[in-house]
């Protein structure tokens, strides 16, 4: 069993997701996530700006954020968001223990602001989600550093000496 499967199943069980739901979404997740990527969080979520568009399932790994959507009427699956964590910008989340929910918002690489509302069963679970999101987005991500290949005015790098085989006599 690979790392993804070993970590996905306990995370899904902790979220209380049904086996039928997992088996329906698993082929989509398998196409998006590598076998060596560990699962941090699997949970149902909704979109606060579009509450009637369908059910969403959010998968957060150490490298990727994948969100699938299931339509309400025909129960069709579609991939809503598939991105690497380092491609997300302006990631924020707001834990609200009174409403037992966490709102997660991030700007994708295409510039679209995505917002998801994660409901929990207990106020303590809100703080667990807060800690998981903090671990995923604040402690694991490093700020991108500029890669300087060359600057104008630098001396060219010394060329390696050319190898010339000795002539046999």
């Amino acid at each position: 069993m690979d790392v993804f499967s070993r970590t996905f199943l306990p995370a899904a069980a902790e979220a209380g997701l049904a086996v039928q739901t997992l088996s329906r979404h698993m082929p989509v997740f398998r196409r998006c996530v590598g076998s060596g990527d560990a699962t941090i969080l699997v949970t149902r979520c909704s979109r606060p700006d579009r509450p009637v568009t369908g059910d969403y399932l959010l998968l957060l790994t150490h490298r990727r954020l994948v969100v699938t959507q299931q339509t309400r009427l025909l129960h069709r699956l579609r991939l809503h968001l598939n991105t690497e964590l380092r491609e997300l910008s302006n990631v924020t989340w707001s834990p609200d223990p009174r409403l037992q929910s966490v709102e997660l918002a991030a700007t994708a690489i295409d510039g679209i602001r995505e917002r998801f509302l994660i409901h929990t069963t207990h106020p303590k679970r809100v703080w667990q989600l807060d800690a998981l999101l903090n671990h995923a987005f604040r402690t694991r991500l490093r700020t991108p550093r500029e890669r300087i290949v060359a600057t104008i005015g630098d001396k060219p790098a010394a060329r390696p000496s050319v190898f010339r085989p000795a002539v046999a006599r």
Side-chain angles (χ1 to χ4, degrees):
M1 191 180 282
D2 60 350
V3 174
F4 175 69
S5 296
R6 267 195 324 261
T7 56
F8 179 81
L9 295 175
E14 186 177 332
L17 297 173
V19 175
Q20 295 84 5
T21 303
L22 296 176
S23 62
R24 202 174 313 123
H25 289 261
M26 185 56 87
V28 178
F29 290 148
R30 279 279 179 199
R31 283 193 302 262
C32 299
V33 178
S35 62
D37 203 3
T39 303
I40 297 174
L41 174 68
V42 181
T43 187
R44 288 188 186 277
C45 62
S46 61
R47 307 249 340 248
D49 50 348
R50 297 181 187 168
V52 294
T53 57
D55 297 324
Y56 292 85
L57 198 63
L58 182 139
L59 169 69
L60 179 65
T61 68
H62 288 292
R63 294 186 194 125
R64 300 194 78 74
L65 175 65
V66 180
V67 180
T68 58
Q69 176 188 10
Q70 180 176 338
T71 61
R72 289 184 191 254
L73 187 59
L74 299 174
H75 300 288
R76 290 190 178 157
L77 278 180
R78 79 175 188 93
L79 183 63
H80 176 75
L81 179 66
N82 177 21
T83 185
E84 290 189 22
L85 296 184
R86 61 184 172 88
E87 293 175 348
L88 293 173
S89 62
N90 197 16
V91 178
T92 60
W93 61 92
S94 305
D96 190 353
R98 289 179 295 120
L99 296 176
Q100 296 180 9
S101 64
V102 177
E103 183 176 344
L104 173 66
T107 304
I109 197 166
D110 56 1
I112 297 174
R113 185 79 176 158
E114 299 285 350
R115 292 176 51 213
F116 301 102
L117 190 61
I118 304 168
H119 292 284
T120 63
T121 55
H122 196 272
K124 287 183 180 179
R125 181 77 175 130
V126 171
W127 300 117
Q128 290 173 344
L129 280 174
D130 181 48
L132 287 173
L133 294 172
N134 187 39
H135 175 71
F137 291 108
R138 294 228 169 95
T139 59
R140 295 197 48 88
L141 292 181
R142 306 290 186 255
T143 57
R145 295 182 183 144
E146 289 185 23
R147 286 186 51 198
I148 300 174
V149 179
T151 57
I152 299 174
D154 284 352
K155 294 180 183 178
R159 293 185 178 177
S161 58
V162 178
F163 175 72
R164 295 190 178 135
V167 179
R169 295 185 193 194

